[in-house]
Amino acid sequence: EYQWRGPFYFIQGADPQFGLMKAWTHGDTNNGDDEWGEEIKLAEQAVQAINKLNPKPKFFVLCGDLVHGMPGSRWKKNQEQDLKDVLKNTDQDIPLVFVSGNHDIGNTPTRETIDDYCKNWGDDYFSFWVGGVFFLVLNSQLYFDSCKCPELRQAQDAWLDEQLAVAANQKCKHIIVFQHIPLFLSKPDEDHDYFNLDKSVRQEIMEKFHKAGVRAVFSGHYHRNAGGSYKGLEMVVSSAIGCQLGQDTHGLRVVVVTEEKVVHRYYSLTELGSHGIEKELLDLLAQQ
């Protein structure tokens, strides 16, 4: 779909993270993830809300931390299977797009943990077109800590440069990026911590994206809503479907793409399920 065909929208979710709610409540985030009934209900609620939407979204992207169990941990396989069982009920006309998070491939990923993720969920980085818009999915763990697989980081970098060159040649309407870890939470020059990327790496990526004309980067990881901008590049951080670490509600983000802009709004699962998308956003979709 290289050609622009008019406005459309997609749904972004993040961090269903089966197992974190109990682990967080019990203060044992390493081994306390042996129950995830709450998360199953929330994920089911998300799928039901999405299935009811009319018109249908072009796709549903999950921005990482699909489950809480780290690679090799006791409950990981069960958590993944339960998430797959919930996601199987997504309307078959709505493609699912998966982004790898730190819990999916490890804080310091290896070739083995990434291979395992790819077997389960699909490639850890790839691109796709929807209606004249170019989407890039990145493995942000390679930017966070690639000391155990530096060659994979180099491969993603080389691939990304090629993809941005393709986008420039194709004259796409917008370029939109999905990754798990945000470049930054509110300010491009904020200090580095667990929830954002190291300053030097961040600066390099932001500048690369800015030069390529990337419109927005959507991520999760923070379990709260946040965001800011860098030279016209918008950084959008969405809160979780699962465990909340701030004051936000379990929710999903509706993202409307028009010829000129990318407009988005975060909805609680309850609100999206009972009222659907508000008129203001639907009106944008109706404009041709």
Side-chain angles (χ1 to χ4, degrees), residues 77-255:
K77 288 276 172 271
N78 302 56
Q79 291 167 353
E80 289 183 328
Q81 189 53 56
D82 284 353
L83 177 60
K84 286 178 181 178
D85 289 343
V86 172
L87 292 174
K88 275 177 196 158
N89 297 316
T90 310
D91 185 310
Q92 60 188 24
D93 294 330
I94 304 171
L96 294 167
V97 177
F98 297 108
V99 182
S100 62
N102 56 307
H103 283 264
D104 305 311
I105 58 176
N107 286 321
T108 307
T110 64
R111 185 175 280 279
E112 289 71 35
T113 64
I114 291 173
D115 283 350
D116 190 56
Y117 170 86
C118 293
K119 282 192 198 98
N120 255 310
W121 302 101
D123 293 342
D124 59 323
Y125 58 89
F126 56 96
S127 63
F128 61 98
W129 288 84
V130 173
V133 176
F134 192 48
F135 291 93
L136 291 161
V137 170
L138 295 179
N139 178 345
S140 56
Q141 268 342 97
L142 294 174
Y143 295 127
F144 194 80
D145 184 358
S146 62
C147 70
K148 289 186 179 165
C149 53
E151 72 289 355
L152 298 184
R153 156 95 190 256
Q154 287 159 357
Q156 176 170 263
D157 282 341
W159 172 86
L160 179 57
D161 290 340
E162 280 166 23
Q163 296 295 307
L164 293 173
V166 165
N169 290 337
Q170 289 284 357
K171 307 263 185 292
C172 55
K173 276 288 170 217
H174 306 291
I175 306 170
I176 293 173
V177 174
F178 299 119
Q179 59 188 56
H180 178 61
I181 302 181
L183 296 168
F184 58 89
L185 298 172
S186 55
K187 296 189 180 70
D189 60 351
E190 69 198 20
D191 288 341
H192 165 56
D193 67 20
Y194 175 78
F195 288 113
N196 60 19
L197 290 180
D198 184 74
K199 269 177 145 171
S200 58
V201 179
R202 179 196 315 168
Q203 188 56 41
E204 192 185 321
I205 298 172
M206 290 190 308
E207 207 38 47
K208 183 181 281 190
F209 286 175
H210 164 65
K211 286 194 174 122
V214 174
R215 177 58 62 114
V217 176
F218 288 88
S219 69
H221 188 51
Y222 192 43
H223 294 255
R224 287 159 277 225
N225 287 307
S229 65
Y230 172 82
K231 296 185 182 176
L233 163 72
E234 190 181 6
M235 180 68 241
V236 184
V237 185
S238 292
S239 197
I241 292 172
C243 188
Q244 301 299 312
L245 301 184
Q247 301 308 306
D248 295 297
T249 51
H250 308 281
L252 294 164
R253 192 173 293 276
V254 173
V255 187

